[in-house]
Short mmCIF file of all heavy atoms in Angstrom, two decimals:
data_model
loop_
_atom_site.label_atom_id
_atom_site.label_comp_id
_atom_site.label_asym_id
_atom_site.label_seq_id
_atom_site.Cartn_x
_atom_site.Cartn_y
_atom_site.Cartn_z
N LEU A 13 39.15 5.00 103.66
CA LEU A 13 40.34 5.31 102.87
C LEU A 13 40.90 6.69 103.21
O LEU A 13 42.13 6.86 103.32
CB LEU A 13 40.01 5.24 101.38
CG LEU A 13 39.69 3.88 100.78
CD1 LEU A 13 39.35 4.03 99.30
CD2 LEU A 13 40.84 2.90 100.95
N SER A 14 40.02 7.65 103.37
CA SER A 14 40.46 9.01 103.66
C SER A 14 41.17 9.09 105.00
O SER A 14 42.17 9.82 105.15
CB SER A 14 39.27 9.97 103.63
OG SER A 14 38.71 10.05 102.32
N GLU A 15 40.68 8.35 105.98
CA GLU A 15 41.36 8.32 107.28
C GLU A 15 42.73 7.68 107.16
O GLU A 15 43.70 8.17 107.76
CB GLU A 15 40.49 7.57 108.30
CG GLU A 15 39.30 8.35 108.79
CD GLU A 15 39.69 9.64 109.49
OE1 GLU A 15 40.59 9.61 110.36
OE2 GLU A 15 39.12 10.69 109.14
N LYS A 16 42.83 6.59 106.41
CA LYS A 16 44.14 5.95 106.21
C LYS A 16 45.10 6.91 105.52
O LYS A 16 46.29 6.99 105.84
CB LYS A 16 43.99 4.68 105.38
CG LYS A 16 43.27 3.54 106.09
CD LYS A 16 44.07 3.03 107.26
CE LYS A 16 43.41 1.83 107.91
NZ LYS A 16 44.11 1.41 109.16
N ALA A 17 44.59 7.64 104.52
CA ALA A 17 45.44 8.53 103.73
C ALA A 17 45.98 9.71 104.54
O ALA A 17 46.96 10.34 104.15
CB ALA A 17 44.67 9.05 102.52
N LYS A 18 45.35 10.01 105.66
CA LYS A 18 45.87 11.06 106.55
C LYS A 18 47.18 10.62 107.20
O LYS A 18 48.00 11.46 107.58
CB LYS A 18 44.85 11.40 107.64
CG LYS A 18 43.60 12.10 107.14
CD LYS A 18 42.62 12.34 108.28
CE LYS A 18 41.34 13.02 107.80
NZ LYS A 18 40.37 13.19 108.91
N ASP A 19 47.36 9.31 107.32
CA ASP A 19 48.53 8.76 107.99
C ASP A 19 49.69 8.55 107.02
O ASP A 19 50.83 8.93 107.29
CB ASP A 19 48.13 7.43 108.66
CG ASP A 19 49.28 6.78 109.41
OD1 ASP A 19 50.10 7.51 109.97
OD2 ASP A 19 49.33 5.53 109.43
N LYS A 20 49.38 7.93 105.86
CA LYS A 20 50.40 7.68 104.84
C LYS A 20 49.68 7.38 103.52
O LYS A 20 48.47 7.12 103.52
CB LYS A 20 51.31 6.53 105.25
CG LYS A 20 50.63 5.18 105.42
CD LYS A 20 51.58 4.13 105.98
CE LYS A 20 51.82 4.30 107.47
NZ LYS A 20 52.60 3.17 108.05
N PRO A 21 50.40 7.39 102.39
CA PRO A 21 49.74 7.15 101.10
C PRO A 21 49.06 5.78 101.04
O PRO A 21 49.50 4.81 101.68
CB PRO A 21 50.89 7.23 100.10
CG PRO A 21 51.93 8.06 100.77
CD PRO A 21 51.82 7.73 102.23
N VAL A 22 47.99 5.73 100.25
CA VAL A 22 47.19 4.52 100.09
C VAL A 22 47.27 4.03 98.66
O VAL A 22 47.18 4.81 97.71
CB VAL A 22 45.71 4.81 100.45
CG1 VAL A 22 44.80 3.67 100.00
CG2 VAL A 22 45.56 5.04 101.95
N ILE A 23 47.46 2.71 98.50
CA ILE A 23 47.30 2.03 97.22
C ILE A 23 46.17 1.04 97.41
O ILE A 23 46.28 0.11 98.21
CB ILE A 23 48.59 1.31 96.78
CG1 ILE A 23 49.73 2.31 96.60
CG2 ILE A 23 48.34 0.51 95.49
CD1 ILE A 23 51.07 1.65 96.32
N MET A 24 45.08 1.26 96.71
CA MET A 24 43.89 0.40 96.84
C MET A 24 43.61 -0.27 95.51
O MET A 24 43.72 0.35 94.46
CB MET A 24 42.70 1.24 97.28
CG MET A 24 41.39 0.45 97.45
SD MET A 24 40.38 0.42 95.95
CE MET A 24 39.68 2.07 95.99
N CYS A 25 43.26 -1.55 95.57
CA CYS A 25 42.95 -2.27 94.33
C CYS A 25 41.80 -3.23 94.56
O CYS A 25 41.49 -3.60 95.68
CB CYS A 25 44.18 -3.05 93.84
SG CYS A 25 44.64 -4.44 94.90
N GLY A 26 41.21 -3.64 93.45
CA GLY A 26 40.19 -4.68 93.54
C GLY A 26 39.09 -4.50 92.53
O GLY A 26 39.13 -3.66 91.63
N ASP A 27 38.08 -5.35 92.71
CA ASP A 27 36.87 -5.30 91.90
C ASP A 27 35.93 -4.31 92.58
O ASP A 27 35.34 -4.61 93.61
CB ASP A 27 36.26 -6.70 91.83
CG ASP A 27 34.95 -6.74 91.06
OD1 ASP A 27 34.47 -5.67 90.63
OD2 ASP A 27 34.39 -7.84 90.91
N LEU A 28 35.80 -3.13 91.98
CA LEU A 28 34.97 -2.08 92.56
C LEU A 28 33.54 -2.13 92.05
O LEU A 28 32.70 -1.33 92.47
CB LEU A 28 35.58 -0.71 92.30
CG LEU A 28 37.03 -0.51 92.77
CD1 LEU A 28 37.41 0.97 92.70
CD2 LEU A 28 37.26 -1.05 94.17
N ASN A 29 33.25 -3.05 91.16
CA ASN A 29 31.88 -3.28 90.68
C ASN A 29 31.21 -1.99 90.18
O ASN A 29 30.02 -1.77 90.41
CB ASN A 29 31.03 -3.94 91.77
CG ASN A 29 30.93 -5.45 91.56
OD1 ASN A 29 30.73 -5.92 90.44
ND2 ASN A 29 31.08 -6.21 92.64
N VAL A 30 32.00 -1.17 89.46
CA VAL A 30 31.43 0.00 88.81
C VAL A 30 32.27 0.34 87.59
O VAL A 30 33.50 0.27 87.63
CB VAL A 30 31.37 1.22 89.77
CG1 VAL A 30 32.76 1.63 90.24
CG2 VAL A 30 30.64 2.39 89.12
N ALA A 31 31.61 0.64 86.49
CA ALA A 31 32.26 1.24 85.33
C ALA A 31 32.02 2.73 85.42
O ALA A 31 30.87 3.19 85.36
CB ALA A 31 31.68 0.66 84.04
N HIS A 32 33.08 3.49 85.60
CA HIS A 32 32.91 4.90 85.93
C HIS A 32 32.45 5.74 84.74
O HIS A 32 31.51 6.54 84.85
CB HIS A 32 34.24 5.45 86.46
CG HIS A 32 34.17 6.88 86.90
ND1 HIS A 32 35.22 7.76 86.75
CD2 HIS A 32 33.16 7.60 87.48
CE1 HIS A 32 34.87 8.94 87.23
NE2 HIS A 32 33.63 8.87 87.68
N LEU A 33 33.10 5.59 83.61
CA LEU A 33 32.84 6.43 82.44
C LEU A 33 32.16 5.62 81.33
O LEU A 33 32.24 4.40 81.31
CB LEU A 33 34.15 7.02 81.91
CG LEU A 33 34.98 7.79 82.93
CD1 LEU A 33 36.31 8.20 82.30
CD2 LEU A 33 34.23 9.01 83.45
N ASP A 34 31.56 6.32 80.40
CA ASP A 34 30.94 5.64 79.27
C ASP A 34 31.93 4.76 78.52
O ASP A 34 31.58 3.69 78.01
CB ASP A 34 30.34 6.65 78.29
CG ASP A 34 29.01 7.22 78.78
OD1 ASP A 34 28.55 6.83 79.87
OD2 ASP A 34 28.43 8.06 78.07
N ILE A 35 33.19 5.20 78.43
CA ILE A 35 34.19 4.41 77.70
C ILE A 35 34.67 3.20 78.49
O ILE A 35 35.46 2.41 77.99
CB ILE A 35 35.40 5.27 77.27
CG1 ILE A 35 36.08 5.91 78.48
CG2 ILE A 35 34.98 6.31 76.26
CD1 ILE A 35 37.40 6.62 78.12
N ASP A 36 34.17 3.05 79.72
CA ASP A 36 34.60 1.92 80.55
C ASP A 36 33.73 0.68 80.36
O ASP A 36 33.90 -0.30 81.10
CB ASP A 36 34.63 2.33 82.03
CG ASP A 36 35.78 3.26 82.34
OD1 ASP A 36 36.85 3.11 81.71
OD2 ASP A 36 35.61 4.16 83.19
N LEU A 37 32.83 0.71 79.40
CA LEU A 37 32.08 -0.49 79.05
C LEU A 37 31.65 -0.41 77.59
O LEU A 37 31.60 0.68 77.01
CB LEU A 37 30.89 -0.73 79.97
CG LEU A 37 29.65 0.16 79.85
CD1 LEU A 37 28.51 -0.47 80.64
CD2 LEU A 37 29.91 1.57 80.35
N LYS A 38 31.36 -1.56 77.03
CA LYS A 38 31.09 -1.65 75.60
C LYS A 38 29.78 -0.97 75.21
O LYS A 38 29.69 -0.28 74.19
CB LYS A 38 31.06 -3.12 75.16
CG LYS A 38 30.85 -3.35 73.68
CD LYS A 38 32.05 -2.93 72.87
CE LYS A 38 31.92 -3.36 71.43
NZ LYS A 38 33.10 -2.98 70.62
N ASN A 39 28.75 -1.19 76.03
CA ASN A 39 27.41 -0.73 75.66
C ASN A 39 26.81 0.14 76.76
O ASN A 39 25.91 -0.30 77.49
CB ASN A 39 26.50 -1.93 75.37
CG ASN A 39 27.01 -2.78 74.23
OD1 ASN A 39 27.21 -2.29 73.13
ND2 ASN A 39 27.24 -4.06 74.50
N PRO A 40 27.28 1.38 76.88
CA PRO A 40 26.80 2.22 77.99
C PRO A 40 25.31 2.54 77.92
O PRO A 40 24.63 2.56 78.95
CB PRO A 40 27.65 3.48 77.87
CG PRO A 40 28.17 3.49 76.47
CD PRO A 40 28.33 2.06 76.10
N ALA A 41 24.79 2.78 76.73
CA ALA A 41 23.38 3.19 76.63
C ALA A 41 22.44 2.09 77.10
O ALA A 41 21.53 2.33 77.90
CB ALA A 41 23.05 3.60 75.19
N SER A 42 22.66 0.87 76.64
CA SER A 42 21.76 -0.23 77.00
C SER A 42 21.97 -0.71 78.42
O SER A 42 21.12 -1.41 78.97
CB SER A 42 21.93 -1.39 76.01
OG SER A 42 23.25 -1.89 76.06
N ASN A 43 23.09 -0.34 79.05
CA ASN A 43 23.37 -0.77 80.42
C ASN A 43 23.09 0.32 81.46
O ASN A 43 23.30 0.09 82.65
CB ASN A 43 24.82 -1.23 80.56
CG ASN A 43 25.02 -2.64 80.04
OD1 ASN A 43 24.50 -3.59 80.59
ND2 ASN A 43 25.77 -2.76 78.95
N HIS A 44 22.60 1.47 81.01
CA HIS A 44 22.34 2.56 81.95
C HIS A 44 21.35 2.11 83.04
O HIS A 44 20.30 1.55 82.74
CB HIS A 44 21.79 3.77 81.22
CG HIS A 44 21.53 4.94 82.11
ND1 HIS A 44 20.34 5.61 82.13
CD2 HIS A 44 22.32 5.53 83.05
CE1 HIS A 44 20.39 6.58 83.02
NE2 HIS A 44 21.58 6.56 83.61
N GLN A 45 21.74 2.32 84.29
CA GLN A 45 20.98 1.95 85.48
C GLN A 45 20.94 0.44 85.74
O GLN A 45 20.19 -0.02 86.59
CB GLN A 45 19.56 2.52 85.46
CG GLN A 45 19.53 4.05 85.65
CD GLN A 45 20.20 4.51 86.93
OE1 GLN A 45 21.33 5.03 86.90
NE2 GLN A 45 19.55 4.34 88.07
N ASN A 46 21.77 -0.31 85.02
CA ASN A 46 22.01 -1.70 85.41
C ASN A 46 23.04 -1.73 86.53
O ASN A 46 23.82 -0.79 86.70
CB ASN A 46 22.52 -2.52 84.22
CG ASN A 46 21.41 -2.89 83.25
OD1 ASN A 46 20.23 -2.83 83.58
ND2 ASN A 46 21.80 -3.30 82.05
N PRO A 47 23.08 -2.83 87.33
CA PRO A 47 24.08 -2.92 88.40
C PRO A 47 25.49 -2.68 87.88
O PRO A 47 25.90 -3.27 86.88
CB PRO A 47 23.91 -4.35 88.91
CG PRO A 47 22.51 -4.72 88.57
CD PRO A 47 22.21 -4.03 87.26
N GLY A 48 26.22 -1.79 88.55
CA GLY A 48 27.57 -1.45 88.13
C GLY A 48 27.64 -0.27 87.19
O GLY A 48 28.73 0.25 86.92
N PHE A 49 26.49 0.21 86.70
CA PHE A 49 26.48 1.38 85.82
C PHE A 49 25.27 2.26 86.10
O PHE A 49 24.67 2.83 85.22
CB PHE A 49 26.52 0.95 84.35
CG PHE A 49 26.99 2.04 83.42
CD1 PHE A 49 28.25 2.61 83.56
CD2 PHE A 49 26.17 2.50 82.40
CE1 PHE A 49 28.68 3.63 82.70
CE2 PHE A 49 26.59 3.51 81.52
CZ PHE A 49 27.85 4.07 81.69
N THR A 50 24.94 2.32 87.39
CA THR A 50 23.90 3.26 87.80
C THR A 50 24.51 4.64 87.99
O THR A 50 25.72 4.79 88.25
CB THR A 50 23.24 2.83 89.11
OG1 THR A 50 24.23 2.84 90.16
CG2 THR A 50 22.63 1.44 89.01
N ASP A 51 23.68 5.65 87.88
CA ASP A 51 24.16 7.01 88.13
C ASP A 51 24.70 7.13 89.56
O ASP A 51 25.70 7.82 89.80
CB ASP A 51 23.01 8.01 87.94
CG ASP A 51 22.52 8.08 86.51
OD1 ASP A 51 23.27 7.68 85.59
OD2 ASP A 51 21.37 8.53 86.30
N GLN A 52 24.05 6.43 90.49
CA GLN A 52 24.44 6.52 91.89
C GLN A 52 25.84 5.94 92.12
O GLN A 52 26.67 6.54 92.82
CB GLN A 52 23.42 5.79 92.77
CG GLN A 52 22.02 6.37 92.72
CD GLN A 52 21.12 5.68 91.70
OE1 GLN A 52 21.54 5.39 90.59
NE2 GLN A 52 19.87 5.42 92.10
N GLU A 53 26.10 4.77 91.55
CA GLU A 53 27.41 4.13 91.74
C GLU A 53 28.52 4.93 91.08
O GLU A 53 29.61 5.12 91.64
CB GLU A 53 27.37 2.71 91.17
CG GLU A 53 26.51 1.76 91.97
CD GLU A 53 26.15 0.50 91.20
OE1 GLU A 53 25.71 0.60 90.02
OE2 GLU A 53 26.32 -0.58 91.77
N ARG A 54 28.25 5.43 89.88
CA ARG A 54 29.24 6.22 89.16
C ARG A 54 29.54 7.52 89.92
O ARG A 54 30.70 7.96 89.99
CB ARG A 54 28.75 6.52 87.76
CG ARG A 54 28.54 5.26 86.93
CD ARG A 54 27.83 5.55 85.63
NE ARG A 54 28.69 6.30 84.70
CZ ARG A 54 28.27 6.85 83.58
NH1 ARG A 54 26.97 6.79 83.26
NH2 ARG A 54 29.11 7.48 82.79
N GLU A 55 28.51 8.12 90.47
CA GLU A 55 28.71 9.35 91.23
C GLU A 55 29.55 9.09 92.47
O GLU A 55 30.42 9.91 92.81
CB GLU A 55 27.36 9.93 91.63
CG GLU A 55 27.46 11.25 92.38
CD GLU A 55 26.11 11.82 92.75
OE1 GLU A 55 25.08 11.35 92.23
OE2 GLU A 55 26.09 12.76 93.59
N LYS A 56 29.32 7.98 93.14
CA LYS A 56 30.12 7.67 94.34
C LYS A 56 31.59 7.48 93.97
O LYS A 56 32.47 7.90 94.73
CB LYS A 56 29.58 6.40 95.02
CG LYS A 56 28.24 6.56 95.69
CD LYS A 56 28.28 7.51 96.88
CE LYS A 56 26.94 7.51 97.61
NZ LYS A 56 26.92 8.50 98.71
N PHE A 57 31.86 6.86 92.81
CA PHE A 57 33.26 6.71 92.42
C PHE A 57 33.87 8.08 92.12
O PHE A 57 35.03 8.35 92.49
CB PHE A 57 33.39 5.79 91.21
CG PHE A 57 34.82 5.46 90.87
CD1 PHE A 57 35.53 4.53 91.62
CD2 PHE A 57 35.47 6.09 89.82
CE1 PHE A 57 36.85 4.23 91.32
CE2 PHE A 57 36.78 5.80 89.51
CZ PHE A 57 37.48 4.87 90.27
N GLY A 58 33.11 8.94 91.48
CA GLY A 58 33.59 10.29 91.25
C GLY A 58 33.88 11.03 92.54
O GLY A 58 34.88 11.76 92.65
#
């Protein structure tokens, strides 16, 4: 994406399979470190 953005603006969409923030899912505490809500995935989105 970063290489594309050097050429012209990027609009990216899709299922990114990550809930970034606690408010992005109903039950963040019980889902911590489940697929899509691991610290690693959230950090990569950040």
